[in-house]
Amino acid sequence: MTAPSVLPLGERLDDLPFTRKHLKVLTGSGLGWALDAMDVGIISFVIAVLAQQWDLVPAETSLIASIGFVGMAVGASVGGLLADRFGRRQVFAVTLLVYGIATGASALVGGLAALLVLRFIVGLGLGAELPVASTYVSEFAPARMRGRLVVLLEAFWAIGWTAAALIGYFVIPASADGWRWAFALGAVPAVYALIVRWGLPESPRWLASRGRYTEADDIVTALERSAGHLSTSPPLVVAPVAPAASARDRLAALWAPGLGRRTASLWIVWFCVNFSYYGAFIWIPTILVSQGYDLVRSFGFTLLITLAQLPGYLVAAWAIERWGRRITLVVFLAGSAVSAVLFGVSSGEVMVIVTGMSLSFFNLGAWGALYAVTPETYPTPLRATGSGWAAGIGRIASILAPLSVPPLLALGGAPLLFVVFAAFFVIAGAATFGLADRRGRALDERSPALS
């Protein structure tokens, strides 16, 4: 197949202003992101209720929290590989379908074993969702605003978590079956999101990397028309496209010269941020209950703490194009470490809320910056694979973190627990200096040697 007479596709995408079609890509992807957050948020409230209704011991409640992350670890790793092989949009749709069915079925379970099986399946769908979504949005976004748009995509997490907190506060305590209604509510939006996803275009960068130039050109041309200008530049001579590489070749390429150090640094940051975030936020409602606050009050505190997430994302979205990726990530990780220590030693309602909101603000701002830098680390043929495996390594930490909370609480209470979380934030901040900062630079479109 011969390529159309166009500018290099990446230059055409980077030359565009923000259009309504970009907004559709952002919001369509963000719906899935919000669903992921809503599910993770809801389970933190459900755990607190089921611990009382089903007389669960801490080891069993930890297993409920962790089993979903086992699924997420598998889903993230496999989802990235599939997205690089078969395309971004198809993987989107499948992940939402898996998530929606398993979440709806969770509302009907009658015991721990069935819930654990379904939580694992939910994790498979959600685990593949996040790295593929950030890869997808980054491949459409113009270079000058790419980091900001990916952080805004991550901001949908705050919307989903806030929805979970509202459900946790108003729905779950309303009746003995409130937790079942929470799961049912979590499944309903998946149907709408699935419809939206099928209406989104495939990534033109991915299409071009597979030699499907005409399809890629049609999508970019539609974007240009929506912006009111078309490219009239000299023809592009396109190099031959190599055959699709095997999964093993793509994984090996993540450690090739020039990428190995970045991959190692990225995996460390992902592992440490996941450990601290999920260790803290999955357990906050339960920790507050254990400190003497009743269920409704602890859920109310969690709702207030959650509301600080959105400002954290918005500030990170501003800073990431002003300060760059690394500095933004380091500042928010440092703020997270300090906030974690203060939250761990807080006493009294005001200090619990204020320090919890500070932790929420800085931690979620760090997440936004991390999701922005991750897909930029790799060239297009490896982008989803690299993002997926970084997320998969992070999910290992999210499995371990909930399991580590009960023994740490028994050993030193909340102060020790949150000092440990702060230490992980500090390690993540140090590893950040091994990452590349591609603020304002075009995405890497080269085809690395995959052998």
Side-chain angles (χ1 to χ4, degrees):
M1 180 183 296
T2 59
S5 296
V6 293
L7 269 177
L9 182 139
E11 290 185 22
R12 293 170 63 193
L13 288 167
D14 288 340
D15 190 46
L16 289 168
F18 186 77
T19 67
R20 290 181 64 182
K21 289 188 178 293
H22 286 105
L23 181 63
K24 182 179 179 181
V25 166
L26 179 63
T27 55
S29 302
L31 283 173
W33 211 287
L35 287 173
D36 194 333
M38 189 164 70
D39 176 82
V40 175
I42 284 174
I43 199 65
S44 69
F45 295 102
V46 169
I47 287 172
V49 172
L50 292 185
Q52 298 179 354
Q53 287 191 12
W54 290 359
D55 295 321
L56 301 178
V57 299
E60 291 172 320
T61 55
S62 297
L63 194 56
I64 295 174
S66 292
I67 194 66
F69 295 122
V70 175
M72 286 185 180
V74 176
S77 303
V78 175
L81 288 166
L82 292 175
D84 274 339
R85 180 66 180 87
F86 299 107
R88 307 345 184 181
R89 188 181 67 171
Q90 286 81 350
V91 175
F92 277 163
V94 172
T95 60
L96 284 170
L97 187 62
V98 171
Y99 159 82
I101 293 173
T103 300
S106 298
L108 305 175
V109 298
L112 181 60
L115 180 61
L116 292 177
V117 171
L118 289 170
R119 291 302 305 165
F120 175 79
I121 297 173
V122 168
L124 288 176
L126 295 183
E129 161 74 26
L130 297 185
V132 177
S134 60
T135 296
Y136 179 74
V137 171
S138 72
E139 290 181 344
F140 273 94
R144 64 189 176 281
M145 64 181 77
R146 184 175 59 243
R148 182 166 298 151
L149 292 184
V150 175
V151 176
L152 290 176
L153 169 69
E154 240 281 89
F156 280 86
W157 183 273
I159 296 172
W161 197 284
T162 301
L166 290 170
I167 292 171
Y169 186 72
F170 291 108
V171 176
I172 294 179
S175 69
D177 289 330
W179 63 272
R180 297 184 186 275
W181 286 108
F183 279 136
L185 288 171
V188 171
V191 177
Y192 174 69
L194 184 61
I195 295 171
V196 170
R197 281 291 166 80
W198 278 118
L200 296 177
E202 181 55 87
S203 164
R205 295 180 192 267
W206 178 82
L207 288 169
S209 75
R210 303 303 333 130
R212 295 161 62 177
Y213 303 117
T214 300
E215 295 171 71
D217 180 69
D218 288 344
I219 293 169
V220 178
T221 298
L223 285 167
E224 290 171 331
R225 285 175 178 158
S226 70
H229 65 90
L230 294 175
S231 173
T232 57
S233 300
L236 167 66
V237 177
V238 182
V241 175
S246 68
R248 173 182 287 185
D249 288 341
R250 290 201 298 277
L251 290 175
L254 300 181
W255 298 95
L259 288 179
R261 178 186 173 190
R262 297 179 187 179
T263 296
S265 298
L266 198 60
W267 286 15
I268 292 171
V269 177
W270 270 90
F271 186 92
C272 292
V273 173
N274 269 273
F275 187 93
S276 294
Y277 175 77
Y278 287 107
F281 283 90
I282 287 293
W283 277 91
I284 279 178
T286 304
I287 291 171
L288 292 175
V289 170
S290 70
Q291 292 178 343
Y293 298 104
D294 62 48
L295 202 62
V296 174
R297 182 175 291 184
S298 70
F299 284 5
F301 289 174
T302 305
L303 174 58
L304 291 174
I305 289 170
T306 299
L307 293 176
Q309 293 185 2
L310 190 56
Y313 285 124
L314 295 179
V315 174
W318 171 85
I320 202 162
E321 301 295 359
R322 293 294 186 93
W323 302 346
R325 281 49 166 159
R326 278 196 299 260
I327 294 177
T328 300
L329 191 50
V330 167
V331 167
F332 277 87
L333 288 171
S336 299
V338 173
S339 299
V341 173
L342 294 177
F343 183 80
V345 299
S346 293
S347 60
E349 295 183 5
V350 173
M351 285 304 297
V352 166
I353 293 171
V354 170
T355 57
M357 292 181 75
S358 177
L359 178 59
S360 187
F361 174 91
F362 282 107
N363 198 180
L364 277 298
W367 268 119
L370 181 56
Y371 269 104
V373 75
T374 298
E376 295 180 344
T377 301
Y378 299 102
T380 297
L382 298 176
R383 189 165 295 125
T385 297
S387 298
W389 272 76
I393 293 297
R395 296 306 180 190
I396 296 173
S398 64
I399 297 165
L400 299 175
L403 297 174
S404 70
V405 169
L408 286 172
L409 284 173
L411 184 63
L416 174 62
L417 177 67
F418 282 88
V419 165
V420 171
F421 293 153
F424 274 86
F425 284 133
V426 171
I427 295 170
T432 297
F433 290 96
L435 302 177
D437 193 326
R438 298 187 67 87
R439 176 180 54 162
R441 295 169 59 189
L443 288 174
D444 189 349
E445 304 289 354
R446 65 193 173 93
S447 295
L450 299 172
S451 61

